[in-house]
Amino acid sequence: MHIKLIVNGIEHALDIEPRTTLLDCLRDNLDLKGAHAGCEHGVCGACTVLFDGVAVRSCLMFAPQAEGTPITTIEGVTPGPGELSPVQDAFCETHGMQCGYCTPAMILVAHALLADNPDPTREDIVDAISGNICRCTGYAQIVEAIALAAERMRGANRPSERQK
Amino acid sequence: MSTGHRFVSTDRRVREDRRFVAGKGRFVADIDLPNTKHVALVTCPHPAARIKNIDKTTALKMPGVHYILDGAELAAATLPLMTGLDTPNVPRRPLAFEVARYSGEWVAAVIADTRAQAEDAAEEITVDYQPLAFVLDAEQALEKGSALVHEAHGSNVLLDKTFVWGEVDKDFAASPRRLSLRVKWGRSSTVPIETFGVVATWDPWREILDVYASIQMPRFSDQIGAALKIPNTCVRVHYDVDVGGSYGVKRGIKHTVLCGYLTRRLGFPVRLIEDRLENMRGGDAHGPERLFDVEVAFDDTGVVRSMKMRALENLGAYAGRSPFQLGKPVGAIVGPYKIRSVQYRAIAVVTNKTTQDAVRGFGQGPTNLALERCMDEVANVLGLDPLEVRRRNLIRHEEFPYLIPSGTTYDSGDYHTVIDKVLADTGYDWLKSERDRLRGQGKLAGIGMAACLEPSGGNATFEALLNPKITTSTFMDSCRINVDGAGAITATMHTTSSGQGHETLVGTVIGEVLQLDPDTVRVTRPDSLNSLPSGTPVGSRMAIMLGGAAFHAAQKLKAKLAAIGAHDLGIPVERAVYEHGNVHDRQSPSSGRSWADLVNIAHRNYHRMPEGFEPGLAVEHVYQVPTGGTLPTPDGRVHMYPCFSFEFHLLLLSIDPDLGRPEIVRYRLGHDCGTQINPKIVRGMTMGGIAHGIGAALFEEFAYNDEGQLIAQTFMDYLLPSSHEVPPIDIIDHETPSPYTVLGQKGSGESGYLGAPAALANAVNDAIRPLGISVNTLPIKMSALGDLIADAGSRGPE
Amino acid sequence: MKAAPFEYCRVANIEEACAMLAADEDARVIAGGQTLVPMMAMRLARPTRLIDINHIAALSYIRADGEAVSIGATTRQCMVERDALVKARLPLLARAVPFIGHTATRARGTVGGSLANADPAAELSLVAVTLDARLSYRVNGRTETVAARDFDIGPMTTSLPNGAILTAVHFPVWAGKTGVGFHEVSARRSDFAFVSAAAQVELSDDGECKRIAIGIGAATATPLRLESAEQRLKGGALDGAKIKAAITEALSDIDPLADLHASANYRRRVAASLASRAVADARAHALGKSIHAH
């Protein structure tokens, strides 16, 4: 069937079987490989994308269901070729990953969290990523990355005390 | 913490991270070759069954289907997969041949235009099975009259070897005390989030089989070539595929042989990406399931003199390298303790469960569990403090290098200092008072500890120990460095990685030796036809082995540059000083040659080169594992791994007595892996190892029902720790360098996992001991623990 | 794990959805999909047609409805989680919703989807039964209602007739000095509960129990009301020993589920423990005291 998906701000016309999940559609039809398949039954979270800014499991949605809602993938939060967002850079600073497979999902969850809550506690961060499984890091350096990103983003573009 | 290094041990970013945060890793499922077809598997529903007939008629007519392969065709065209033990009557093949031996075993493969179409067709294949008798329990598999998993083998025993190192009987007779313990390590595995996948494509014009796989496996191309009966020069494995986690298990040889055969047969690229069900049931990536019967002989002060250990491993239906997981622990069989003599009996049996493969630690984690439970029980029986008992048994700093009864020499260590450092951070008395406070609140509370070794370096002479037909004593890795005509440095490494930061490791070591910014060193991964030998990342070996190879190659380059500079300056080479890429005369520092000069001479001014030197600046080093090189003695003594890292876990656990739910209140780890080449990498892997350990201890199990069905086959039932289940952990580092490695580094790839389950088991036991109960089976599940506590309560206090 | 093929359509109103369901007995509606899609991926569910009801605006609402609060079937669980009316009028629901799955599944999962799925461990089913909610569904052009306790008839089984679509759930609101308690236990924080307990009490001015509802989830095939315990506890002081005795007695003849994760004994025992905690919390809450999280 013919559908139109809005991904990272661009509208795409696609012809897919209805049973194609949003995950498979992004990867196979749109060549956006950053969302990963880990379980295909909605537990591991490696397939996470932002659906109207909200973190969801793309393996639990059939592509036609996603019509009409803006979707953001990891490619959409990357500022440009070779450029990193503050969240991505923070993950590099703390080495909040190892194999990289769960990483795009973690970063998107971080983006969604920080958009909603710019000053999360450790418990807020732990809770936000609790739907994403990582087998490499034991989560410590991921939590530190998100806390660091939050701190840096809070400190960015703020008027100095002098100017207030 | 190390002094004197410019780049090693500093807080450097891991260069691989850049591509991963952008979603630009190159995982096998990301690789799109034109005209690729997809595989889905048909699996056997029975734990054991004869395959009478496979009816493909309907399936072949379905949309997109190109071919259906069955076990008979594949068996006729390929050789069985390589095994570790000498067991010719236990062949292992990608597709079951005549008999399927576990529920989930692959029986046929469908190849179609899309994965979905392949799955549609797989459903339409009718297999006529004749169910056979089956056995699931290892002890039952040992019994006469048990169902035989492989009739031709005559029994279910693949290995039964007993070693006696030292005067075990004498030591037992001379000891005033002894105790026996049965400990079970349940069947779990490291279960990476990325399943195994492979894309294989045969080029008949160049006669090359290109293999892209999510692989972590020694001798991968050898095994592909052998099974497919093609020369290794026709197999090209691409090492620049990013592997989404492995921790041992990504061995995928049956997947690869399957796809390799299919692409040669059918003429287009063939792709198999396991779905999670295929992975859990039939991916052959289960971990050890081991039953220990241990007996220790000790004195009234708690010093353990001798140990008898029987380890019974439930391999599953087939075996590749997995039985060797009974052999690796031989190299650290006494743990960090001065136990004088050991009797070790290793038994491996087949059963009708999923096949195992190598799991992080290669058997050391289960062995450490058995050892550490014994130590706690020795303390308990004597009414002594378990920490004190350990102190009395631990090898002392001044006693290294230390030869253990089974023939391995531990390189270095300072176990008492590591423990002291942990206690300085978290007072033992404070921990005990916290435990009492929690008990006062009505909780069960326990302190758990484990003092464990991480053997590292990957001298796998346990192969020869368990299979005398193997005479391998070479364990190597390699690095090649080329400086091109413009002075740019490229180094190569010859294996895949799964998150260990090896590119960063190589760059850092080379930068350190050459005194140049590591970020200017490009690190690439040639394919298997362009590579030098590598043992691959197993046995916590890469920091030692790849680090060592890179170090020596860089030293060769440095020496060549110094020689070229000296010759051009007209001075003896002893007077040439290499500094930051330049060479100057020690006696006249202003007289020198810059990096650019040296590159120019090497690449373009042959007339200025020293006599007999090769032009250019290309060096390589193939590095043999330090301290190895011997085969086992007739009585089974041999030196294995070169380096031994040490970890000391100390934790406080609280258990809600009604719910049986454990909560880790405090977790401290003392860790000594010698020089840390990149501290961020080491810390990350240790944290990850502890998380794996928490899973193995409390949550994860490949549970089977009595009908031989794997009932934990999705992530709804196989429970992986999330961020809620891993508490904040503080790691206290210490560095006792190894005298045998280039920078004093030891391996750390298995850290945390090797001791966390033991520490958690000890904590649970400390908590429930006042009720007169104990738990010696992993995983310790909440419901089982709750029931155990309730039963004890209803019996009344002891 | 690719689903078997199906046709897909999106409908704008409930009548259209019912008509499409009626036209094909193997068609199913899809709302959040958090339960249905995994089942389809494993080919345990193989609808020939999916009728997407996510865009029926008329089914997504939370509103006061006399002495009740009505929630439309396609209302996202995360909307309920954040809603001020729910926090004010349905504190038990507000307490329970964060236990449902993960943030990412609550972002898509719906109230109706969870109720219609009727997993024995579902928090929403437990709250519905505990509060004597009523569920509305549309079938054959009519709207029918059924009591929650008559709706769940077995594990994953409801009394919803063929071709019917759940449209709303109506939770009664308690007046007076009300307090709530909710506990659940699972292996990992966000797993399906092994056992859960919900309690709501209304106290009289002198602190005695005027009204009480106690429900147990995940321990039996469907959520259980502990009516005998409610009878014993009504009209008196709620002290620990009394609560425990009443609950233990009420649970003495239940037939708990046993599976890979928890034994029947565990469920029976822990049900008693959690129910007691939930009632104690509800009492404290009603008295204006703070409550321990677990």
Side-chain angles (χ1 to χ4, degrees):
Chain A
M1 74 183 279
H2 295 280
I3 63 168
K4 288 201 172 79
L5 292 186
I6 308 158
V7 184
N8 300 328
I10 299 170
E11 188 178 77
H12 299 271
L14 300 163
D15 187 13
I16 44 99
E17 279 188 280
R19 62 170 164 171
T20 309
T21 59
L22 177 59
L23 173 66
D24 286 343
C25 189
L26 292 168
R27 291 183 54 82
D28 300 336
N29 297 84
L30 293 174
D31 213 34
L32 296 166
K33 305 291 190 190
H36 298 140
C39 71
E40 293 183 294
H41 54 279
V43 179
C44 75
C47 66
T48 301
V49 299
L50 299 183
F51 196 67
D52 202 14
V54 176
V56 300
R57 282 119 155 72
S58 65
C59 77
L60 292 190
M61 196 181 295
F62 294 112
Q65 292 185 274
E67 261 198 312
T69 306
I71 297 155
T72 310
T73 66
I74 188 68
E75 292 86 354
V77 303
T78 306
E83 295 173 39
L84 303 179
S85 75
V87 176
Q88 289 168 315
D89 188 76
F91 270 74
C92 290
E93 181 62 33
T94 69
H95 189 48
M97 75 206 80
Q98 287 166 40
C99 79
Y101 203 71
C102 76
T103 306
M106 291 287 185
I107 289 172
L108 289 172
V109 167
H111 271 272
L113 169 71
L114 296 178
D116 205 40
N117 179 359
D119 195 2
T121 61
R122 186 184 188 278
E123 192 51 44
D124 290 334
I125 296 172
V126 166
D127 199 58
I129 65 170
S130 66
N132 292 69
I133 306 292
C134 174
R135 284 301 259 176
C136 290
T137 66
Y139 306 102
Q141 288 169 192
I142 295 176
V143 172
E144 287 159 14
I146 299 173
L148 178 63
E151 187 192 314
R152 287 181 171 173
M153 285 160 74
R154 283 196 307 276
N157 292 328
R158 287 172 72 186
S160 69
E161 289 304 308
R162 210 165 21 96
Q163 287 173 329
K164 270 203 260 196
Chain B
M1 229 195 290
S2 277
T3 55
H5 288 128
R6 182 174 284 107
F7 304 110
V8 165
S9 299
T10 64
D11 196 25
R12 298 189 67 78
R13 287 198 176 191
V14 179
R15 64 178 69 180
E16 287 93 326
D17 290 358
R18 263 180 73 79
R19 60 186 185 261
F20 294 139
V21 295
K24 294 297 184 192
R26 189 167 180 248
F27 300 96
V28 63
D30 300 342
I31 293 168
D32 285 330
L33 300 179
N35 203 31
T36 298
K37 310 297 172 203
H38 301 253
V39 175
L41 280 329
V42 177
T43 68
C44 178
H46 306 284
R50 184 160 297 280
I51 301 163
K52 305 293 288 292
N53 185 53
I54 300 176
D55 185 350
K56 310 168 190 169
T57 336
T58 313
L60 281 167
K61 297 188 201 133
M62 291 188 62
V65 174
H66 288 271
Y67 199 71
I68 297 172
L69 177 67
D70 60 34
E73 179 187 335
L74 191 61
T78 60
L79 292 179
L81 306 175
M82 207 179 278
T83 59
L85 297 176
D86 182 24
T87 49
N89 290 316
V90 186
R92 183 178 167 219
R93 300 175 182 285
L95 297 177
F97 176 52
E98 295 179 338
V99 177
R101 293 181 170 87
Y102 63 89
S103 173
E105 185 174 4
W106 301 351
V107 162
V110 180
I111 299 88
D113 285 338
T114 69
R115 169 76 195 199
Q117 287 171 326
E119 288 187 29
D120 294 341
E123 285 190 309
E124 298 301 322
I125 293 175
T126 316
V127 185
D128 185 14
Y129 293 106
Q130 177 203 338
L132 301 170
F134 60 91
V135 59
L136 302 169
D137 179 81
E139 288 183 290
Q140 276 178 33
L142 275 178
E143 286 167 17
K144 288 245 179 312
S146 164
L148 287 183
V149 181
H150 294 265
E151 284 221 24
H153 186 70
S155 81
N156 289 321
V157 180
L158 298 199
L159 174 75
D160 187 352
K161 255 186 124 122
T162 302
F163 302 93
V164 181
W165 302 297
E167 308 269 18
V168 174
D169 290 337
K170 260 177 85 176
D171 286 337
F172 263 75
S175 296
R177 306 265 201 158
R178 56 181 75 180
L179 75 82
S180 300
L181 196 60
R182 171 164 269 216
V183 177
K184 173 115 192 262
W185 177 281
R187 180 177 272 249
S188 61
S189 194
T190 48
V191 192
I193 302 299
E194 182 204 35
T195 61
F196 186 84
V198 56
V199 177
T201 179
W202 173 248
D203 177 346
W205 306 112
R206 293 169 184 74
E207 294 185 307
I208 291 185
L209 178 71
D210 276 297
V211 175
Y212 305 84
S214 180
I215 190 70
Q216 182 202 3
M217 185 175 211
R219 304 190 60 194
F220 185 45
S221 36
D222 292 1
Q223 296 183 57
I224 298 168
L228 293 175
K229 300 190 276 191
I230 59 179
N232 273 16
T233 46
C234 295
V235 179
R236 180 162 60 193
V237 176
H238 293 262
Y239 295 142
D240 57 354
V241 174
D242 289 316
V243 177
S246 175
Y247 337 99
V249 301
K250 290 255 177 87
R251 297 294 160 114
I253 186 62
K254 70 175 189 179
H255 315 52
T256 306
V257 168
L258 178 70
C259 290
Y261 171 75
L262 285 166
T263 181
R264 277 164 52 77
R265 171 92 174 63
L266 301 173
F268 43 67
V270 175
R271 178 196 210 233
L272 168 56
I273 310 290
E274 285 176 333
D275 70 19
R276 189 51 70 179
L277 288 172
E278 284 163 348
N279 167 266
M280 301 286 271
R281 295 175 74 220
D284 290 357
H286 285 201
E289 182 185 344
R290 194 169 300 185
L291 187 59
F292 292 93
D293 286 296
V294 195
E295 200 184 352
V296 288
F298 54 103
D299 67 23
D300 293 323
T301 70
V303 172
V304 177
R305 191 162 177 161
S306 187
M307 174 175 75
K308 295 180 190 173
M309 179 184 276
R310 184 189 90 152
L312 172 61
E313 181 62 51
N314 183 333
L315 293 172
Y318 303 91
R321 253 179 108 62
S322 52
F324 287 149
Q325 294 184 115
L326 284 162
K328 183 255 182 74
V330 165
I333 194 70
V334 296
Y337 305 118
K338 291 192 284 191
I339 299 170
R340 286 201 253 175
S341 59
V342 177
Q343 177 183 299
Y344 178 62
R345 183 175 179 197
I347 312 174
V349 295
V350 284
T351 66
N352 296 101
K353 289 186 175 181
T354 303
T355 304
Q356 291 178 15
D357 223 309
V359 162
R360 197 172 198 174
F362 213 65
Q364 193 64 52
T367 311
N368 290 347
L369 171 73
L371 281 167
E372 288 303 290
R373 282 296 302 124
C374 278
M375 281 301 169
D376 259 32
E377 287 307 312
V378 165
N380 178 40
V381 147
L382 294 172
L384 295 174
D385 184 283
L387 183 58
E388 184 53 34
V389 165
R390 283 176 172 80
R391 280 192 200 278
R392 291 174 187 174
N393 281 283
L394 286 169
I395 301 161
R396 304 206 67 83
H397 175 55
E398 57 273 12
E399 292 173 305
F400 288 92
Y402 184 87
L403 176 65
I404 67 172
S406 52
T408 291
T409 299
Y410 294 163
D411 59 340
S412 69
D414 192 353
Y415 308 150
H416 294 86
T417 300
V418 174
I419 292 173
D420 287 342
K421 274 178 135 168
V422 173
L423 296 180
D425 174 276
T426 300
Y428 196 37
D429 287 337
W430 178 85
L431 216 53
K432 288 191 236 188
S433 70
E434 276 303 289
R435 179 182 58 184
D436 290 342
R437 190 179 64 77
L438 286 164
R439 286 176 174 173
Q441 288 175 355
K443 300 265 198 261
L444 297 169
I447 293 171
M449 66 187 74
C452 300
L453 295 186
E454 307 163 22
S456 56
N459 174 339
T461 334
F462 47 77
E463 295 175 2
L465 189 69
L466 297 186
N467 181 355
K469 286 192 174 172
I470 294 177
T471 57
T472 308
S473 61
T474 305
F475 303 98
M476 52 185 160
D477 226 288
S478 54
C479 181
R480 186 195 285 127
I481 306 176
N482 184 53
V483 181
D484 73 8
I489 311 168
T490 303
T492 58
M493 55 172 288
H494 310 115
T495 175
T496 52
S497 303
S498 51
Q500 304 95 322
H502 294 137
E503 292 161 29
T504 302
L505 167 77
V506 171
T508 304
V509 170
I510 293 173
E512 185 72 42
V513 171
L514 295 179
Q515 302 161 26
L516 297 171
D517 182 355
D519 287 341
T520 63
V521 178
R522 166 70 66 185
V523 180
T524 66
R525 297 169 199 264
D527 58 58
S528 62
L529 292 178
N530 291 320
S531 283
L532 296 172
S534 168
T536 77
V538 296
S540 275
R541 66 191 289 281
M542 293 302 269
I544 296 165
M545 295 303 297
L546 181 58
F551 182 93
H552 285 295
Q555 294 282 36
K556 285 178 178 171
L557 179 62
K558 193 163 129 184
K560 184 163 182 179
L561 289 162
I564 293 170
H567 179 78
D568 204 56
L569 288 167
I571 59 175
V573 71
E574 302 76 49
R575 258 166 65 185
V577 178
Y578 174 97
E579 199 166 40
H580 300 303
N582 311 310
V583 173
H584 69 262
D585 182 348
R586 187 196 310 279
Q587 289 180 6
S588 169
S590 59
S591 170
R593 293 292 176 267
S594 68
W595 177 265
D597 295 333
L598 298 164
V599 169
N600 187 47
I601 295 169
H603 276 271
R604 287 173 285 278
N605 293 163
Y606 195 71
H607 57 279
R608 290 162 74 183
M609 287 283 272
E611 181 82 31
F613 265 45
E614 289 175 6
L617 290 168
V619 296
E620 67 186 42
H621 190 84
V622 182
Y623 183 55
Q624 163 69 356
V625 65
T627 76
T630 59
L631 290 176
T633 59
D635 65 339
R637 243 177 266 256
V638 69
H639 176 78
M640 291 189 201
Y641 284 44
C643 303
F644 293 82
S645 299
F646 176 70
E647 52 190 70
F648 177 67
H649 300 249
L650 185 66
L651 66 105
L652 176 62
L653 193 78
S654 165
I655 303 175
D656 182 313
D658 291 335
L659 306 182
R661 179 169 56 201
E663 188 196 326
I664 301 168
V665 172
R666 191 132 185 158
Y667 205 120
R668 290 293 181 274
L669 176 72
H671 190 224
D672 183 351
C673 58
T675 305
Q676 296 188 12
I677 294 173
N678 185 304
K680 279 201 239 265
I681 291 176
V682 172
R683 179 170 179 257
M685 294 187 75
T686 306
M687 292 290 197
I690 295 173
H692 269 155
I694 291 172
L698 302 175
F699 298 104
E700 299 177 36
E701 186 177 22
F702 285 114
Y704 284 76
N705 65 18
D706 293 335
E707 285 75 52
Q709 300 301 319
L710 178 64
I711 49 181
Q713 53 181 322
T714 71
F715 284 174
M716 312 218 197
D717 293 315
Y718 189 92
L719 306 179
L720 305 170
S722 78
S723 55
H724 280 309
E725 282 70 53
V726 184
I729 297 162
D730 278 358
I731 300 176
I732 293 111
D733 284 314
H734 188 65
E735 280 184 28
T736 310
S738 174
Y740 304 127
T741 62
V742 297
L743 294 162
Q745 78 276 29
K746 303 183 185 183
S748 166
E750 295 154 339
S751 56
Y753 183 64
L754 296 185
L760 286 160
N762 278 342
V764 171
N765 278 289
D766 189 50
I768 62 180
R769 192 170 289 120
L771 300 177
I773 51 179
S774 65
V775 164
N776 286 301
T777 299
L778 294 193
I780 301 169
K781 288 188 164 171
M782 217 170 74
S783 162
L785 186 59
D787 286 346
L788 193 67
I789 293 166
D791 288 344
S794 62
R795 282 198 309 271
E798 299 262 309
Chain C
M1 285 163 68
K2 312 298 178 192
F6 57 85
E7 307 257 325
Y8 169 89
C9 61
R10 208 182 258 202
V11 292
N13 61 63
I14 191 75
E15 297 310 332
E16 223 184 303
C18 286
M20 304 225 68
L21 262 192
D24 180 353
E25 64 170 9
D26 291 319
R28 286 189 69 156
V29 296
I30 184 165
Q34 304 302 284
T35 312
L36 181 58
V37 178
M39 285 170 57
M40 291 175 69
M42 295 189 231
R43 302 202 175 203
L44 298 172
R46 315 168 64 104
T48 49
R49 170 177 290 278
L50 278 189
I51 304 158
D52 188 336
I53 59 171
N54 284 289
H55 298 268
I56 303 178
L59 285 185
S60 178
Y61 59 85
I62 303 171
R63 59 179 175 241
D65 203 350
E67 304 262 307
V69 171
S70 293
I71 302 179
T74 63
T75 308
R76 305 280 174 209
Q77 291 154 11
C78 62
M79 298 298 296
V80 177
E81 197 176 350
R82 294 199 278 266
D83 190 80
L85 186 65
V86 169
K87 282 191 173 67
R89 305 269 187 95
L90 299 177
L92 184 60
L93 183 61
R95 183 72 59 82
V97 171
F99 284 92
I100 306 174
H102 291 280
T103 310
T105 61
R106 294 197 295 278
R108 295 292 299 162
T110 62
V111 170
S114 176
L115 289 168
N117 186 44
D119 190 296
E123 291 82 356
L124 287 172
S125 303
L126 173 59
V127 173
V129 165
T130 304
L131 294 181
D132 282 323
R134 296 192 66 76
L135 287 80
S136 298
Y137 59 88
R138 191 93 184 137
V139 67
N140 294 332
R142 298 185 322 276
T143 298
E144 309 277 354
T145 39
V146 61
R149 70 172 70 208
D150 297 326
F151 183 71
D152 278 353
I153 57 178
M156 326 299 285
T157 318
T158 67
S159 61
L160 206 58
N162 282 337
I165 299 175
L166 203 59
T167 52
V169 56
H170 315 278
F171 290 98
V173 174
W174 289 20
K177 209 159 142 163
T178 312
V180 301
F182 188 90
H183 284 273
E184 91 171 29
V185 69
S186 53
R188 297 173 304 178
R189 178 93 64 101
S190 304
D191 283 340
F192 286 102
F194 296 169
V195 189
S196 49
Q200 184 156 300
V201 304
E202 188 197 336
L203 300 179
S204 63
D205 288 325
D206 49 4
E208 296 215 322
C209 174
K210 204 167 155 190
R211 189 177 174 193
I212 181 167
I214 310 171
I216 298 289
T220 49
T222 59
L224 201 61
R225 279 284 291 280
L226 300 189
E227 282 168 325
S228 67
E230 292 167 5
Q231 289 307 316
R232 278 176 66 167
L233 293 171
K234 206 159 80 162
L238 282 175
D239 69 76
K242 200 175 164 201
I243 294 170
K244 190 170 169 191
I247 286 167
T248 307
E249 212 262 295
L251 289 170
S252 60
D253 62 352
I254 65 165
D255 192 19
L257 300 167
D259 61 18
L260 168 66
H261 297 296
S263 66
N265 275 339
Y266 182 88
R267 287 196 162 96
R268 184 201 316 281
R269 205 178 54 245
V270 173
S273 178
L274 292 188
S276 299
R277 295 185 201 196
V279 173
D281 283 359
R283 178 179 172 275
H285 186 212
L287 291 173
K289 296 185 187 141
S290 65
I291 301 159
H292 299 293
H294 286 287

